[in-house]
Amino acid sequence: MIASVLVANRGEIACRVFRTCREAGIATVAVHADPDAGALHVRSADTAVRLPGTTAAETYLRGDLVVRAALTAGADAVHPGYGFLSENAGFARAVTDAGLVWIGPPAEAIEAMASKTRAKRVMADAGVPLLAPLDPAGLTASDLPVLIKAAAGGGGRGMRVVRDLAVLEEELVSARAEAAASFGDGEVFVEPYVEGARHVEVQVLADTHGTVWTLGTRDCSLQRRHQKVVEEAPAPDLPDPVRAALTSAAETAARAIGYVGAGTVEFLLPTGGRGPCFLEMNTRLQVEHPVTEAVYGVDLVALQIRVAEGEALGAAPEPYGHAVEARLAAEGSLDRPVRRLRAGGPGLRLDAGYAEGDTVPPHYDPLLAKAIAWAPTRREAIRKLAHALEHAAIHGPHTNRDLLVRALRHPEFQAGAPDTGFLERNLPALTRPRDARLAALAAALAGAHAPGAWRNVPSQPQTKRYRSEPDGTEHEIRYHRTRDGLVPEDFPGVRVVSAVPGRVALETDGVTRTFEVTAYADGRVHVDSYALTALPRFPDPADRAAAEPGSLLAPMPGTVVRVADGIAIGEPVKAGQPLLWLEAMKMEHRVTAPVDGTLTALHATPGRQVETGETLAVVTETEENS
């Protein structure tokens, strides 16, 4: 019987495991890096152990420190969560060698699948269909496009699509560097990139008594930068023979490596009638596991613990209904604390890693929460989730909320199962700025309740200015106080029905809409799902003095990981030429020259921590282009 569990992770997944442990009467232990000292997962645990340092490499990826923490805190089991050390065979062995229970698969099974190149050889020997790797040295134009992938880890890191042989070597170098930084292993491989395919996976769960469950399929095709954004179960529009082939191949894969515990076998499903191709096996719990839990009515973490305690699984449950999950992630600047993160309702679940007052560190995954909706049908589940996200109170950092809502409501997604290129094809429409002018009017009127008398003579209007986030559009709002109430200027057809602090009702062409307005002392204003920043009425001239022309500013807090080889101050650069790479939120962001010109300043050095808006480099445009 497990009495105390240390979760070797942070954020949402640590909170998720702790929730099941509390329900089971199991004590909980958290570990934390210094930026996470006050994090939600630390506050959620019974005890916590500090891992001195800031970066993942100094803390969450130090297996020796995590094992020592478990022993120090008196834990008798370790749950790895996902990411970090969850698929590290050496860590699994270190846990069991220390006399602790490992809530995961055997180290040998992890080792067999830890390298995607080795995993493909194992699966080929077991008869599981797959895409064969390609030799980068022998590639020709006819092989394009190809996909570079990190042999270790996942989450889209160390992954590049190459459509031009001229950039192959550069992309290999970049992928190796990102893989080494993320997983401590710079090995990459190349395989064919299949256009228009679907990404479908099968949840497996196996015990030590020879039982292997295959808990249906999940579709994870909605991806941005090779990272999953929306997942659903079961995968829609799969013919019965294809579904049977997927689950059979997944069971074969699990049995081939003597798998125990929860895991996921991922497949690429090409168009044109070709059968599924094995991609990889994740020897851990997946981020998207809640959709399977919702459809099968199970708690996968509780089942992981039962299996680790040696219990038999018995008969597999039957599925019912449909579930959809959306990953709500912070984007852009992370210097704003989470002020509100609320969403709920019947058939809805929110797995959050942050609470009000928390700040999202730039050093780790930007996932704020996962919103999950279940309903008897796919159509109902999609509608419920889109509505919940649209009306959720999310105040603080910028998020991908608008992208998620638009993707869920897109006709192509609602009609059936889109392929992995869906977001790329539709990104301009899915990310276009919303017209926030009416929201800015509501923000202005909500603050117009200050005492003051109306004047029975013509007077200048009251003026307020706002900037909508994150697109930066500025709105100047003018309104008059009259004996009949507040009257906005330049809003034909709009009548103010009521305006009090926190709530404004506006009638537009006979239709009344009510806005919920929340204003904060630092000038941030949230109007329903719109985020605004109040601006001074008359801008300070000093604020207009922008950075030096040609300055390349850090788009978010992060760490400079690389500077391009061969660049030096005084040297010419071409527009679009990579100058340096910034790592933030576990992703590499390439900073390129904006114009043809000369590099006149370079303030970035590898390892340097930068904040949003810091100058990284300056490119002075050549006169003939200026």
Side-chain angles (χ1 to χ4, degrees):
M1 292 286 289
I2 292 173
S4 176
V5 171
L6 177 142
V7 176
N9 220 291
R10 65 176 300 279
E12 172 270 326
I13 184 57
C15 296
R16 160 73 187 90
V17 176
F18 290 155
R19 184 170 69 245
T20 289
C21 289
R22 283 195 301 272
E23 292 171 356
I26 297 173
T28 54
V29 181
V31 289
H32 67 86
D34 289 337
D36 278 339
L40 180 61
H41 79 278
V42 175
R43 305 196 303 270
S44 300
D46 297 317
T47 56
V49 181
R50 177 191 176 219
L51 305 177
T54 298
T55 67
E58 296 171 314
T59 56
Y60 298 111
L61 289 173
R62 285 283 303 274
D64 56 333
L65 297 183
V66 175
V67 170
R68 188 186 309 161
L71 296 173
T72 300
D76 52 15
V78 172
H79 191 298
Y82 49 69
F84 293 137
L85 296 167
S86 62
E87 294 177 280
N88 186 304
F91 178 59
R93 288 195 180 95
V95 169
T96 55
D97 288 348
L100 300 165
V101 175
W102 170 247
I103 306 177
E108 294 75 19
I110 298 175
E111 205 159 50
M113 296 291 103
S115 165
K116 295 181 178 66
T117 51
R118 185 166 58 249
K120 285 178 178 287
R121 292 194 294 268
V122 172
M123 292 298 105
D125 291 343
V128 177
L130 49 78
L131 291 172
L134 301 170
D135 179 5
L139 288 179
T140 66
S142 62
D143 295 314
L144 300 175
V146 296
L147 183 64
I148 302 172
K149 297 180 72 174
R157 291 173 291 281
M159 190 178 291
R160 304 286 189 277
V161 176
V162 178
R163 302 180 185 275
D164 182 353
L165 287 178
V167 300
L168 176 63
E169 189 56 38
E170 176 191 327
E171 295 291 13
L172 283 167
V173 170
S174 178
R176 289 183 185 119
E178 187 175 8
S182 299
F183 315 120
D185 184 347
E187 182 189 356
V188 300
F189 67 96
V190 177
E191 67 182 15
Y193 180 63
V194 182
E195 307 270 12
R198 291 173 59 186
H199 188 143
V200 179
E201 61 190 30
V202 178
Q203 175 72 56
V204 298
L205 190 70
D207 62 20
T208 56
H209 304 275
T211 300
V212 177
W213 287 357
T214 53
L215 296 179
T217 57
R218 295 190 290 252
D219 193 298
C220 308
S221 299
L222 260 69
Q223 300 177 11
R224 186 180 185 190
R225 305 188 196 103
H226 307 295
Q227 289 193 311
K228 299 168 186 174
V229 175
V230 173
E231 304 101 346
E232 57 181 312
D237 299 338
L238 288 184
D240 289 340
V242 173
R243 199 178 298 277
L246 286 163
T247 54
S248 175
E251 182 175 347
T252 298
R255 292 191 183 279
I257 59 173
Y259 200 76
V260 174
T264 298
V265 188
E266 303 198 352
F267 298 90
L268 198 65
L269 197 60
T271 56
R274 182 177 175 178
C277 300
F278 171 83
L279 281 177
E280 62 187 14
M281 183 173 185
N282 295 126
T283 52
R284 53 171 170 80
L285 203 63
Q286 290 280 85
V287 178
E288 56 270 23
H289 75 273
V291 292
T292 297
E293 292 183 323
V295 169
Y296 279 85
V298 297
D299 181 332
L300 287 173
V301 174
L303 289 169
Q304 284 184 296
I305 293 172
R306 282 176 50 190
V307 167
E309 291 179 327
E311 290 191 34
L313 286 173
E318 294 295 324
Y320 175 62
H322 201 95
V324 187
E325 172 183 289
R327 301 189 190 190
L328 186 68
E331 293 191 338
S333 175
L334 303 182
D335 57 357
R336 303 173 184 180
V338 176
R339 262 118 177 208
R340 194 170 297 171
L341 183 56
R342 301 174 190 166
L348 291 167
R349 165 177 164 182
L350 187 72
D351 284 11
Y354 296 89
E356 295 177 22
D358 293 342
T359 298
V360 185
H363 319 288
Y364 320 115
D365 196 292
L367 184 67
L368 291 173
K370 301 177 312 196
I372 305 100
W374 177 93
T377 67
R378 180 176 188 262
R379 181 180 178 182
E380 291 172 285
I382 292 171
R383 181 172 60 195
K384 183 181 294 186
L385 182 58
H387 183 270
L389 285 170
E390 182 180 37
H391 293 277
I394 305 168
H395 297 178
H398 304 319
T399 72
N400 62 339
R401 184 234 298 265
D402 288 352
L403 170 72
L404 295 173
V405 173
R406 287 170 173 170
L408 290 167
R409 289 177 172 162
H410 195 282
E412 183 181 343
F413 177 73
Q414 294 195 342
D419 58 55
T420 54
F422 169 81
L423 284 181
E424 184 178 348
R425 286 194 306 273
N426 296 290
L427 204 57
L430 297 175
T431 57
R432 70 181 183 276
R434 293 186 295 163
D435 184 358
R437 194 159 174 261
L438 208 59
L441 173 61
L445 298 177
H449 63 283
W454 64 273
R455 299 169 62 188
N456 196 21
V457 293
S459 63
Q460 293 297 314
Q462 300 289 317
T463 303
K464 294 184 179 180
R465 297 173 58 247
Y466 298 91
R467 181 177 60 242
S468 59
E469 307 290 353
D471 62 275
T473 303
E474 294 192 8
H475 306 275
E476 183 173 272
I477 305 299
R478 296 182 297 173
Y479 61 90
H480 291 271
R481 297 175 183 273
T482 73
R483 69 169 68 206
D484 296 320
L486 300 170
V487 178
E489 278 194 4
D490 306 319
F491 284 85
V494 175
R495 182 177 71 87
V496 181
V497 177
S498 63
V500 296
R503 192 176 180 88
V504 173
L506 301 175
E507 181 189 280
T508 305
D509 298 328
V511 178
T512 299
R513 177 180 171 185
T514 301
F515 296 85
E516 300 292 335
V517 182
T518 305
Y520 295 95
D522 63 358
R524 316 285 187 193
V525 184
H526 288 267
V527 182
D528 291 345
S529 61
Y530 293 87
L532 306 166
T533 297
L535 302 174
R537 180 180 177 188
F538 301 108
D540 187 335
D543 292 338
R544 295 180 180 175
E548 184 178 348
S551 294
L552 304 179
L553 308 181
M556 61 194 70
T559 304
V560 177
V561 290
R562 284 190 297 134
V563 175
D565 294 336
I567 70 163
I569 294 174
E571 294 293 318
V573 295
K574 293 288 187 182
Q577 178 181 340
L579 301 181
L580 57 98
W581 285 260
L582 184 70
E583 183 182 50
M585 301 180 290
K586 296 179 72 175
M587 291 292 291
E588 278 196 4
H589 302 264
R590 182 181 302 182
V591 179
T592 62
V595 293
D596 291 349
T598 302
L599 184 68
T600 53
L602 181 63
H603 304 292
T605 55
R608 179 187 165 195
Q609 296 280 128
V610 298
E611 297 298 328
T612 303
E614 279 194 45
T615 301
L616 303 173
V618 178
V619 175
T620 301
E621 189 174 10
T622 53
E623 287 189 13
E624 58 267 29
N625 294 329
S626 60

